[in-house]
Amino acid sequence: MSDADADAALHDALECVVRRNPGQVLFRQAVHEVLESLAPVVKQHPEYVEGGILKRIIEPERVISFRVPWVDDSGAIQVQRGFRIQFSSDLGPYKGGLRFHKSVDEDTLKFLGFEQIFKNSLTGLGLGGAKGGSDFDPHGKSEKEVMRFCQSFMAELAHHIGADLDVPAGDIGVGGREIGYLYGQYRKVTGRNEAGVITGKGIGYGGSWARTEATGYGLVYFVREMLRESDISLEGSRVVVSGSGNVALYAAKKAAQLGATVVACSDSQGYVIDEDGLDLDLLSEIKDVRRERLSAYADVRGNCTYFEGRSVWDVECDIALPCATQNELDGDAARALAENGCRVIAEGANMPCTEEAIQVIHDKGILFGPAKAANAGGVATSGLEMRQNAGRLQWDFERVDSELDRIMTDIHATTAATADEYGMPGDLAAGANIAGFRRVADAMLAQGVI
Ligand code: NDP
């Protein structure tokens, strides 16, 4: 196919997303980022255009939207919106997390569901792509309110999921506590003990060892692979992490285990800098157990500084790991990191770097680990949890962790080799998009127009 025809097909697909999804800027950003890398593939494989792959892959198979009524502790009735975006089942059952955050809307979940297709493809575990959630904000809610909300949410979602159909997991605002309530309600509604219907479960009722740690640990295994042929080492490096939730905490723990000093982390209110290295057990206690704000860490720890409302990307570091949320690292933040000597940025969160930031990172020669590859460890380990559930087995921590390490090493090798193959050595973002896309596109061609 000629360059012009390939560019026209990609342009048409993006134009279709803009026209059909007015105001959905995150979804459009995510699609643009993928399509932009696909020109060399489409030129070599005109069958993808002839088979309508570009037109089909940008349209979710199904968008489910529902009312979630619940009663708060004062007896007042609240109504939230619930969603499940079943984007693609070409490689296997729909798979992707649930997000509970006040910002959740159809746009957010379509962007996340679209990204999930390619990430899940990269794991090689036979998983389709999906995402779901609600605009419910768990912050400040009592334990009972969280439980009642989860039960109402699952009362509807249960009609749309299943171990061979669609398998949700956690994401922002959905951790072990919420997964427990969601799974309990699924059993109640369906009358079935179907452990493989949801991942991230507790160890005592069908969960997998190392699932809690997986996204953060996997991110650092990926970074270790990125650094293998460079003069940078995790050992002795200064690391800054954004967020202080599940991904941030376990990325920090693994980086510290491998010899780095993690000097700063953040939440939505501010950041803390601790030059001696963060006390990660204390951080875990404050965020996971006490469910307090990050400022409480500084109060308890002492000898460190908390900055309200300021950007964690102003902190000097060798390696930056954005692990909070989308578009949290913009062009100015990328410039600040570069000026302060940062040499590696790897995405633990989904789409944390804006398009401008990625351009700056590229121009400044900073090594870049894209989310689709670098944070795939969570869903990969969810895939391992599904396998254990199907066999009614429970592997030990070391086995799951070593499988995770192997999968992350393979994903890095595949993305790097694909970038080389298409003439973009070192461009792991392009490598991840192309490798993830090709596996799905081939499956779509093989299965016909459905
Ligand atoms: P958590 O809810 O455990 O933690 C989220 C953290 O990010 C909190 O510290 C939160 O601060 C902060 N945060 C959330 N929204 C914002 C915002 N708008 N501005 C600044 N900070 C914010 O979520 P996870 O750690 O699970 O998820 C973090 C990211 O990683 C997300 O992008 C998610 O999609 C991605 N991810 C998660 C996976 C997983 O297995 N959990 C797998 C792959 C990707 P606060 O408490 O103040 O809101």
Side-chain angles (χ1 to χ4, degrees), residues 158-174:
H159 300 304
H160 309 285
I161 61 175
D164 292 317
L165 171 63
D166 183 353
V167 183
D171 191 80
I172 291 179
V174 179

Side-chain angles (χ1 to χ4, degrees), residues 99 139 171-173 211 215 244-247 268 293 323-324 349-350:
R99 178 175 292 191
H139 285 118
D171 191 80
I172 291 179
R211 173 60 188 91
T215 309
S244 46
N246 172 269
V247 180
S268 55
R293 307 242 49 114
C323 295
N350 284 309

Side-chain angles (χ1 to χ4, degrees), residues 406-427:
R406 181 189 59 74
I407 292 169
M408 296 313 295
T409 304
D410 284 355
I411 291 176
H412 177 269
T414 304
T415 53
T418 307
D420 285 350
E421 183 187 340
Y422 285 90
M424 295 173 276
D427 187 343

Side-chain angles (χ1 to χ4, degrees), residues 334-412:
R335 277 184 281 274
L337 282 166
E339 275 159 29
N340 282 329
C342 176
R343 298 182 64 196
V344 183
I345 298 177
E347 299 182 315
N350 284 309
M351 207 166 76
C353 297
T354 64
E355 291 184 280
E356 189 194 355
I358 293 172
Q359 191 58 53
V360 173
I361 291 166
H362 189 261
D363 293 347
K364 300 282 185 189
I366 295 173
L367 295 180
F368 180 61
K372 287 185 203 76
N375 75 20
V379 73
T381 308
S382 279
L384 301 178
E385 184 173 331
M386 289 161 70
R387 286 187 179 181
Q388 292 169 77
N389 293 152
R392 297 196 180 279
L393 298 165
Q394 194 167 57
W395 302 338
D396 62 20
F397 187 96
E398 287 67 30
R399 174 161 179 195
V400 182
D401 188 35
S402 77
E403 285 277 324
L404 167 66
D405 192 340
R406 181 189 59 74
I407 292 169
M408 296 313 295
T409 304
D410 284 355
I411 291 176
H412 177 269

Side-chain angles (χ1 to χ4, degrees), residues 219-285:
L219 172 66
V220 177
Y221 294 145
F222 190 87
V223 169
R224 182 198 62 205
E225 293 307 302
M226 287 171 69
L227 302 185
R228 229 174 248 293
E229 287 172 22
S230 77
D231 60 345
I232 315 164
S233 165
L234 270 162
E235 192 168 359
S237 66
R238 195 177 148 92
V239 172
V240 166
V241 174
S242 67
S244 46
N246 172 269
V247 180
L249 185 64
Y250 289 100
K253 284 192 173 177
K254 182 52 74 176
Q257 270 175 29
L258 297 184
T261 305
V262 184
V263 292
C265 70
S266 63
D267 66 7
S268 55
Q269 316 285 304
Y271 75 85
V272 69
I273 178 161
D274 190 336
E275 287 292 346
D276 295 334
L278 293 165
D279 178 338
L280 298 171
D281 291 334
L282 175 62
L283 186 63
S284 208
E285 161 80 18

Side-chain angles (χ1 to χ4, degrees), residues 33-302:
E33 193 270 332
V34 171
L35 293 184
E36 208 180 31
S37 354
L38 297 184
V41 189
V42 172
K43 276 173 210 159
Q44 274 185 28
H45 296 277
E47 67 273 20
Y48 292 151
V49 174
E50 286 150 17
I53 301 298
L54 298 177
K55 289 182 200 161
R56 288 195 272 153
I57 208 166
I58 55 171
E59 196 61 35
E61 288 178 19
R62 197 169 298 107
V63 174
I64 301 158
S65 164
F66 50 99
R67 178 173 68 193
V68 191
W70 60 284
V71 181
D72 70 19
D73 285 347
S74 74
I77 295 165
Q78 306 288 342
V79 177
Q80 248 61 58
R81 275 193 160 174
F83 297 95
R84 186 71 179 164
I85 314 290
Q86 296 179 332
F87 223 117
S88 160
S89 59
D90 299 289
L91 293 179
Y94 305 107
K95 180 89 195 90
L98 297 172
R99 178 175 292 191
F100 293 168
H101 191 269
K102 57 186 184 229
S103 65
V104 164
D105 58 12
E106 192 177 312
D107 179 26
T108 311
L109 298 175
K110 271 161 91 171
F111 119 63
L112 289 163
F114 184 73
E115 298 267 298
Q116 199 80 42
I117 304 171
F118 307 100
K119 181 189 314 200
N120 293 4
S121 165
L122 283 173
T123 68
L125 293 175
L127 303 168
K131 203 80 189 187
S134 173
D135 56 2
F136 175 75
D137 181 2
H139 285 118
K141 302 292 189 302
S142 72
E143 195 78 20
K144 292 268 163 36
E145 287 176 326
V146 170
M147 183 177 75
R148 286 196 292 272
F149 172 77
C150 288
Q151 289 173 339
S152 180
F153 182 84
M154 183 53 86
E156 175 61 34
L157 188 69
H159 300 304
H160 309 285
I161 61 175
D164 292 317
L165 171 63
D166 183 353
V167 183
D171 191 80
I172 291 179
V174 179
R177 173 182 66 171
E178 290 75 16
I179 294 289
Y181 294 146
L182 290 164
Y183 181 57
Q185 180 72 347
Y186 181 82
R187 292 200 308 104
K188 172 93 178 170
V189 169
T190 62
R192 285 201 302 273
N193 237 303
E194 186 189 347
V197 71
I198 195 162
T199 58
K201 298 180 293 297
I203 291 298
Y205 60 94
S208 173
W209 288 107
R211 173 60 188 91
T212 307
E213 294 84 353
T215 309
Y217 277 23
L219 172 66
V220 177
Y221 294 145
F222 190 87
V223 169
R224 182 198 62 205
E225 293 307 302
M226 287 171 69
L227 302 185
R228 229 174 248 293
E229 287 172 22
S230 77
D231 60 345
I232 315 164
S233 165
L234 270 162
E235 192 168 359
S237 66
R238 195 177 148 92
V239 172
V240 166
V241 174
S242 67
S244 46
N246 172 269
V247 180
L249 185 64
Y250 289 100
K253 284 192 173 177
K254 182 52 74 176
Q257 270 175 29
L258 297 184
T261 305
V262 184
V263 292
C265 70
S266 63
D267 66 7
S268 55
Q269 316 285 304
Y271 75 85
V272 69
I273 178 161
D274 190 336
E275 287 292 346
D276 295 334
L278 293 165
D279 178 338
L280 298 171
D281 291 334
L282 175 62
L283 186 63
S284 208
E285 161 80 18
I286 301 259
K287 298 300 291 184
D288 266 2
V289 183
R290 298 202 218 164
R291 297 183 187 273
E292 290 184 41
R293 307 242 49 114
L294 190 57
S295 49
Y297 171 92
D299 296 340
V300 178
R301 168 91 158 148

